[in-house]
Amino acid sequence: MFLTLLASTMPPMTTAIIRPVSRSIQECELTHMDRDPICYETACAQHQAYVEALESLGVTVIELDPLHHHPDAVFVEDIAVVCDDVAILTRPGAESRRGEVESITPILSAHRPLAHIEDPATLEGGDVLLAERTFYIGRSSRTNDAGIDQFRSIVTPYGYEVVAVDVPGALHLKTAATYLGEGRLLANPEWIDMDGLEDLELIAVHPDEPFAGNVVRIGEVMLFPKQFPHTAGRLEARGIQLIQVPSTELAKAEGSLTCKSVIFQANA
Ligand code: CIR
């Protein structure tokens, strides 16, 4: 009781859970991309730059143990979704990734009540886009209708809405679109069905940069991949402040920037 009262008076602290790149990253899952050799050392260096960018914004970073026998384990976003009220442990659509989930449970149970996506449902965090009180959830090769339904029953009691969005052209919904705050969506409209998203103001990626729709938003600042200068220009022209980070190596594993962390507000 005392601890609960104390926690409710503490200022929230932006926290990011991350995990080192697995030495087996070359064996990663690929869905919409051809295999291109990935340099483990470069991937680690770029991942470190990502972590440092988060820390430069005052984010507290918690590092999980590596899971070298799980090639995709660096992409922690897919195994858990955390909102202010609850942490949802997912059941990844990629079978090779299901063994990653358990390892994030202890840290999340210290911060939120836990809920679970259960068989036959599948859902990956890369398909979950939160904009204010609405969760847009990608219906993709990794997230099925049962996953969306289970997610809806978990979050509806907390006052969230859930809208399903078809994702015909990308791995996950957030491969193609992320929320910038203030009702704005950065997106590649070629890859997703924009129908459910029409309440949001679309800022389209530059046509030469189809993968530029994924940013990590920390307050007013956005981490953005360095390799997309045209889309960066579009965002900066609207007064959006970017920190550009190199992310070419894990992009070859079909990973975007958001994939590499689970970000939530923890009580200090
Ligand atoms: C996979 O296919 O599962 C990994 N190679 C990439 C996961 C990227 N995660 C994300 O977009 N949230």
Side-chain angles (χ1 to χ4, degrees), residues 28-31 72 75 77-78 97 124 126 142 171-172 175 253-256 259:
C28 66
E29 297 278 348
L30 288 174
T31 307
D72 285 305
F75 302 121
E77 170 179 66
D78 294 322
R97 302 206 50 194
E124 296 190 0
R142 300 292 177 84
L171 174 59
H172 291 127
T175 316
E254 231 167 331
S256 314
C259 316

Side-chain angles (χ1 to χ4, degrees), residues 30 47 80 87 92 118 130 159 171 228 239 245 261:
L30 288 174
H47 191 253
E118 284 164 3
L130 178 62
L171 174 59
F228 304 126
V245 290
S261 54

Side-chain angles (χ1 to χ4, degrees), residues 18 22 46 48 55 58 68 76 78 119-120 122 130 139 177 191 197 239 245 248 253:
I18 58 115
S22 298
Q46 293 187 345
Q48 182 58 26
E55 287 174 339
H68 290 298
V76 286
D78 294 322
D119 191 14
T122 64
L130 178 62
R139 190 186 281 119
W191 283 352
L197 294 158
V245 290
T248 46

Side-chain angles (χ1 to χ4, degrees), residues 129 136 163-166 173 177 185 187 192-202:
L129 185 162
Y136 296 92
V163 175
V165 176
D166 283 322
L173 174 59
L185 184 78
I192 52 179
D193 179 355
M194 294 297 293
D195 283 354
L197 294 158
E198 59 214 358
D199 285 349
L200 300 172
E201 177 200 352
L202 170 66

Side-chain angles (χ1 to χ4, degrees), residues 28-240:
C28 66
E29 297 278 348
L30 288 174
T31 307
H32 292 268
M33 276 186 172
D34 294 330
R35 202 163 291 277
D36 201 4
I38 298 172
C39 172
Y40 171 67
E41 286 74 24
T42 308
C44 291
Q46 293 187 345
H47 191 253
Q48 182 58 26
Y50 174 80
V51 169
E52 284 168 14
L54 289 170
E55 287 174 339
S56 76
L57 294 169
V59 175
T60 301
V61 174
I62 298 173
E63 184 177 275
L64 299 175
D65 288 340
L67 288 178
H68 290 298
H69 56 293
H70 281 287
D72 285 305
V74 64
F75 302 121
V76 286
E77 170 179 66
D78 294 322
I79 60 172
V81 177
V82 184
C83 62
D84 288 348
D85 312 274
V86 61
I88 297 149
L89 281 310
T90 71
R91 180 168 183 272
E95 255 188 84
S96 68
R97 302 206 50 194
R98 293 195 186 142
E100 299 170 27
V101 178
E102 203 184 316
S103 59
I104 201 170
T105 308
I107 180 68
L108 290 180
S109 66
H111 293 279
R112 297 288 190 276
L114 300 183
H116 300 262
I117 300 294
E118 284 164 3
D119 191 14
T122 64
L123 181 135
E124 296 190 0
D127 276 316
V128 179
L129 185 162
L130 178 62
E132 310 306 331
R133 301 297 290 182
T134 303
F135 280 104
Y136 296 92
I137 307 197
R139 190 186 281 119
S140 71
S141 60
R142 300 292 177 84
T143 296
N144 63 16
D145 282 319
I148 298 172
D149 289 345
Q150 285 187 18
F151 194 96
R152 183 181 283 110
S153 7
I154 293 165
V155 299
T156 302
Y158 298 108
Y160 294 93
E161 263 195 75
V162 170
V163 175
V165 176
D166 283 322
V167 182
L171 174 59
H172 291 127
L173 174 59
K174 281 192 292 188
T175 316
T178 39
Y179 186 58
L180 301 176
E182 298 172 17
R184 301 163 304 180
L185 184 78
L186 175 66
N188 175 349
E190 302 293 315
W191 283 352
I192 52 179
D193 179 355
M194 294 297 293
D195 283 354
L197 294 158
E198 59 214 358
D199 285 349
L200 300 172
E201 177 200 352
L202 170 66
I203 302 177
V205 299
H206 188 281
D208 293 345
E209 297 174 342
F211 282 94
N214 183 278
V215 304
V216 172
R217 183 163 67 104
I218 305 291
E220 296 301 303
V221 182
M222 320 276 164
L223 264 54
F224 189 75
K226 215 175 194 161
Q227 64 266 34
F228 304 126
H230 302 301
T231 306
R234 287 186 176 185
L235 295 172
E236 284 171 339
R238 289 171 170 259
I240 294 172

